Structure formats: C-alpha cells, structure tokens
Amino acid sequence: MDSIKYILPEKDMPTSWYNIQADLPVPLPPYLHPVTKQVIGPGDLAPLFAMELIKQEVSQERFIDIPEEVQKIYRQFRPSPLYRARRLEQALDTPAHIYYKLEDVSPAGSHKPNSAIPQAYYNMKEGIKRLTTETGAGQWGSSLALACNYFDIELKVYMVKVSYNQKPYRRMMMETWGATCVPSPSPDTNSGRAALAADPNNMGSLGLAISEAVEDAMQRDDTHYTLGSVLNHVLMHQTIIGQECQKQMEMAGEYPDVVIACVGGGSNFGGIALPFVYDKLRKDTKTRVLAVEPSSCPSLTKGLYAYDYGDEAGMAPITKMFTLGSHFMPPPVHAGGLRYHGMSPIISHLHKLGIIEARAVNQLATFEAGITFARTEGIISAPETNHAIRAAIDEAIKCRETGEKKVILFNHSGHGYFDMTAYNTYLLGDLSDYEYPAEKVKEAQSFMPQV
C-alpha cells in the first residue's frame, strides 16, 4: 500500500532543540544597542527577556535540552504528521514526490506554539506575571495566549490593525485563552499615539506593533516582552519541526532535494530548514533550501543587508539583516505574518553566504496555489503557507517539464480556516496584487542607523 502519512511515536519526539550557531562557517554579526550603537550584553536585554532566553540567543552549544514541562505540552500535538501529497502530484502530472509537514495540528492552528510554550515557561520560572507581544496575522498572538494560559501569565497583544480588521476570529481566540488584544497603532503607548497623530488611518505594521509591545514592557517591572520570530532562540525552538522531518523522511525512504517554507521573520522557515542546513554544512548534502516571501514585502530578494532597527520607534536591538527599512509600511496583503520589514539575522546570514535561496511571489499566484492545494489535498491553508505551496508547485512543474524525479518538502505552517474572507475575495475575482513599492522602500531605508 502506498503510504500517505508518516507519524512518529511520541517516544521519538526530539528532546533537544538544534542551535545552528554552533555550525555557522562565519559567526553572526553582533546585536547593537539602539541608543549607544555599541555591542549589547545580557544586561541590556534583561529588562525585556527572560535570562534563559538571552542565554539561548547567544549560545554556541549545538543542542539545548527541551525542559520536561515543555515536552509534556508539546506531546499534546507533537510529533506532527508528514504527508505525501499524492493527489497534488497526480493533478500536476509530475514525477516529483511532494511532502508537507502539517504544523496546523497544534491547538492554535500553526507552528507558533513551538516557541510560545518555552518562552512562556522560562518567563514563568523567573516569576514574570505579565507579557507583551505583537502579532501580524494573529497566529503568534493566539499561540502565546495559549501558552500564557498554561502558565497563568497575563498577556497583552498588539495586533497589526489591518490584520485585526481582516481576522477577527484570531482576536477571539486570544481572548478565549485570556489575553487582551488591541489594534496597533493603539492609543495605549507613545509609539501608537504618535503614529495615529501622523496618520489617523494608519493600518499598522509589525515594526510598529513591536515598538508598542516593547514600550509597554519597559514601563512595568512585572512585565517582559516576547517575540514570535526573527530572534535566534525563536528559530531554535522551531527546529523540532525539521528534526522530526528528518526521521519521517527516513520512514518514507527518501531525502529532500528541495526544502521550502514561507518567510516573513524566519520562524517556520528556520524551523524546517535549519536541521537540513546542518546536513549541508556538516554532511555535504546538496539539498536546495528555498525561502519564499511576498513580492510586496521582499526583504531577502530586494532589501539591503545592513544594520537596522528591529522596530519602527528604534527601541529594539539593532541587527544585521536584509531590510526594507524599519519605517517601511507594507501593503495590506492577507499574509499578515509576512509583512515585516526585516529578516531573521540567521536567515539573512545564510542567504548572504549563499547557503539558502530566496524567491518572491505575488498574492494572486499564492491564492491560486492555495486553491489547487485545497482541491487536491483537501486542506485550506493560511495565506502565508500558500507562498510555500506556490513554490512547491512551481518546482514540481519544472520536474514535469524536465522529467526529473525530485523530492520536494515544504512546511505547511498553518491552516486558513480564519482566512475565508480572503479566499472569498479571491474567488470573486476581487483580490488585489501589489507592486513592489520601491520609492517607499527607498524612503524607509533613509531612517536606517549609521553604524
């Protein structure tokens, strides 16, 4: 019988996260203080983050143990299944074998709890009673709300206003798990009030929402800030995805020629890709690793590789990354989780070194791919995930044209059941595409720090 899904038993779930910093051929450039522009130390980050997370951020250990308390919660939805997309292969008439890792089996419906749970846990261990965060499409905010519920922590979420309006059910999820969610820019912070004063119709950005959440956390001694993507420790927590995939691909008797994931800040891409990057660096495998971003917010493919602020107000650490400028206001595409001006330092570093590839795709093409996937595999995918599906389909079509039998693996990072308004707009023929706003990017990059 031809297998469709590959399920690891709980006993085979990884018990440690993989830290790629141990294997980078060139070390990461250091973080800089947003005011002094000097290299920051743990003491500079302590007002914002749990100390264990700060240690993980700079650790050079290859593997870091997952606490048993975190493993117990992981086991509610991990290991997640790996699927062979046989019906999609048949529809595309391709010799390629397509696999996808189904991360939307978590209670929050995406990969984000893989980092939300340990972040809430480490803050709880330090006695922190309140957290703040930002969220784009709401997958991170809902995941952290779930995690804070487990550990009895109060949470306030600043949700990018365009997504707050587009995705009300994500807000309802957060509130069901006990969090408070407000649209960003909000009247609750100096950053938000300034943005609203400049433009009362400001629809927000992740950079601005980060500014609000950081400002909120810095004003209270009982509060820490958490980030759902970009940072090293966040990507490390997500590597449980790729480690499981390695074992499941062994079960399938194959190894991927191409590993694909959508990318905004880097969390789900890093999660599936970094264990396979380890194989490239240490075992000399030839797998291509492809990050797929929106053409309207193409930090990897059209951004500058430079030091820039992680947020609009310049309160977060300055990082070396591919960036469109911290003042860049992305167009209101439905893939709200990919509307970030910059890119993870690790992903940026790997791209600069030529170890990973990047591709930008437009909104209409991603929804076309999502419809194809829904009508073959039966799963309605998040707008962010549709970017990975688009690239996987394109790679499979190339195989059809060349006759090559390649193995394609992509991360199905989240479901789209709260995105049906976007699908309806597409099906009615009313969905817009957005051009790369080159002039706005040029203006936004003029605010980059001089270091």
Side-chain angles (χ1 to χ4, degrees):
M1 181 177 67
D2 293 333
S3 295
I4 292 176
K5 59 182 177 295
Y6 301 88
I7 301 176
L8 288 175
E10 287 183 22
K11 66 179 179 61
D12 290 337
M13 186 184 78
T15 57
S16 59
W17 297 299
Y18 168 59
N19 179 18
I20 197 171
Q21 292 190 77
D23 297 300
L24 291 173
V26 179
L28 285 174
Y31 292 138
L32 304 181
H33 193 282
V35 177
T36 67
K37 311 297 192 297
Q38 301 301 308
V39 175
I40 60 175
D44 296 309
L45 296 174
L48 285 178
F49 298 102
M51 186 53 66
E52 186 58 35
L53 296 173
I54 296 171
K55 292 177 182 177
Q56 291 178 3
E57 187 68 19
V58 298
S59 173
Q60 302 298 306
E61 295 180 49
R62 182 170 290 120
F63 292 100
I64 294 179
D65 290 342
I66 303 173
E68 180 58 33
E69 295 92 328
V70 172
Q71 291 186 50
K72 286 179 180 177
I73 299 175
Y74 274 179
R75 286 196 287 269
Q76 292 182 334
F77 56 93
R78 306 215 69 87
S80 64
L82 179 76
Y83 280 81
R84 171 84 179 271
R86 293 185 180 273
R87 293 178 64 85
L88 178 60
E89 294 170 8
Q90 183 179 8
L92 297 176
D93 190 26
T94 178
H97 290 182
I98 306 172
Y99 293 85
Y100 58 95
K101 182 69 162 164
L102 195 68
E103 283 297 296
D104 39 289
V105 295
S106 77
S110 78
H111 68 291
K112 292 291 189 178
N114 297 331
S115 186
I117 292 164
Q119 288 198 51
Y121 166 77
Y122 288 124
N123 276 284
M124 178 274 294
K125 294 292 283 186
E126 283 196 12
I128 294 297
K129 301 298 183 183
R130 182 176 180 270
L131 292 175
T132 64
T133 197
E134 76 296 320
T135 194
Q139 290 184 340
W140 169 248
S142 55
S143 297
L144 189 60
L146 172 72
C148 286
N149 176 68
Y150 287 141
F151 295 112
D152 195 25
I153 297 174
E154 180 185 347
L155 173 65
K156 184 167 184 180
V157 181
Y158 293 86
M159 186 173 185
V160 177
K161 186 181 291 183
V162 64
S163 293
Y164 184 94
N165 294 335
Q166 288 175 344
K167 307 172 194 293
Y169 293 113
R170 282 286 171 189
R171 170 182 59 79
M172 294 176 195
M173 286 181 75
M174 297 177 220
E175 293 171 347
T176 298
W177 283 318
T180 299
C181 178
V182 298
S184 173
S186 78
D188 298 355
T189 67
N190 292 329
S191 305
R193 287 189 290 270
L196 290 170
D199 178 10
N201 297 315
N202 189 316
M203 295 307 290
S205 69
L206 278 168
L208 179 53
I210 291 172
S211 293
E212 291 207 81
V214 169
E215 180 184 329
D216 184 328
M218 292 178 69
Q219 291 175 344
R220 293 180 52 164
D221 293 336
D222 66 344
T223 301
H224 273 169
Y225 165 71
T226 58
L227 188 64
S229 192
V230 181
L231 297 178
N232 304 337
H233 67 268
V234 181
L235 272 64
M236 184 190 72
H237 297 158
Q238 294 291 350
T239 58
I240 193 167
I241 301 172
Q243 291 182 79
E244 288 179 5
C245 278
Q246 289 174 322
K247 295 179 180 180
Q248 289 163 316
M249 292 302 300
E250 286 183 14
M251 293 170 65
E254 301 202 273
Y255 190 88
D257 296 296
V258 189
V259 175
I260 300 169
C262 66
V263 64
S267 65
N268 98 90
F269 174 80
I272 195 169
L274 294 182
F276 289 99
V277 172
Y278 169 84
D279 287 352
K280 284 173 66 75
L281 295 174
R282 307 293 294 186
K283 302 178 183 179
D284 199 30
T285 59
K286 305 304 179 184
T287 299
R288 292 171 51 221
V289 182
L290 175 60
V292 190
E293 62 185 3
S295 57
S296 59
C297 193
S299 57
L300 276 176
T301 52
K302 293 194 175 181
L304 294 176
Y305 185 58
Y307 272 107
D308 197 10
Y309 297 107
D311 69 313
E312 184 172 318
M315 291 185 288
I318 299 173
T319 63
K320 188 77 172 287
M321 60 184 175
F322 280 95
T323 176
L324 301 170
S326 61
H327 282 62
F328 175 61
M329 188 63 64
V333 293
H334 283 277
L338 307 184
R339 295 176 68 251
Y340 184 56
H341 69 273
M343 184 54 59
S344 153
I346 284 176
I347 304 305
S348 297
H349 193 58
L350 292 172
H351 184 47
K352 184 67 175 178
L353 294 174
I355 295 169
I356 66 169
E357 306 171 29
R359 180 182 303 170
V361 293
N362 66 50
Q363 180 164 246
L364 286 177
T366 64
F367 272 87
E368 178 188 45
I371 294 291
T372 298
F373 192 74
R375 292 178 179 176
T376 53
E377 295 299 305
I379 298 171
I380 298 173
S381 309
E384 295 83 3
T385 306
N386 285 342
H387 289 67
I389 295 171
R390 175 75 270 164
I393 288 176
D394 290 345
E395 292 292 325
I397 290 173
K398 288 180 185 177
C399 290
R400 181 181 68 203
E401 294 170 348
T402 63
E404 293 178 278
K405 179 191 169 184
K406 289 187 177 180
V407 177
I408 301 167
L409 168 66
F410 73 90
N411 196 19
H412 195 278
S413 53
H415 67 63
Y417 301 131
F418 297 151
D419 298 284
M420 298 314 300
T421 300
Y423 275 91
N424 184 55
T425 304
Y426 174 80
L427 292 168
L428 291 173
D430 295 333
L431 192 68
S432 299
D433 252 337
Y434 295 93
E435 298 297 325
Y436 169 65
E439 288 304 313
K440 289 185 178 180
V441 171
K442 186 176 180 181
E443 179 184 354
Q445 289 174 338
S446 68
F447 291 92
M448 292 168 60
Q450 301 299 310
V451 296

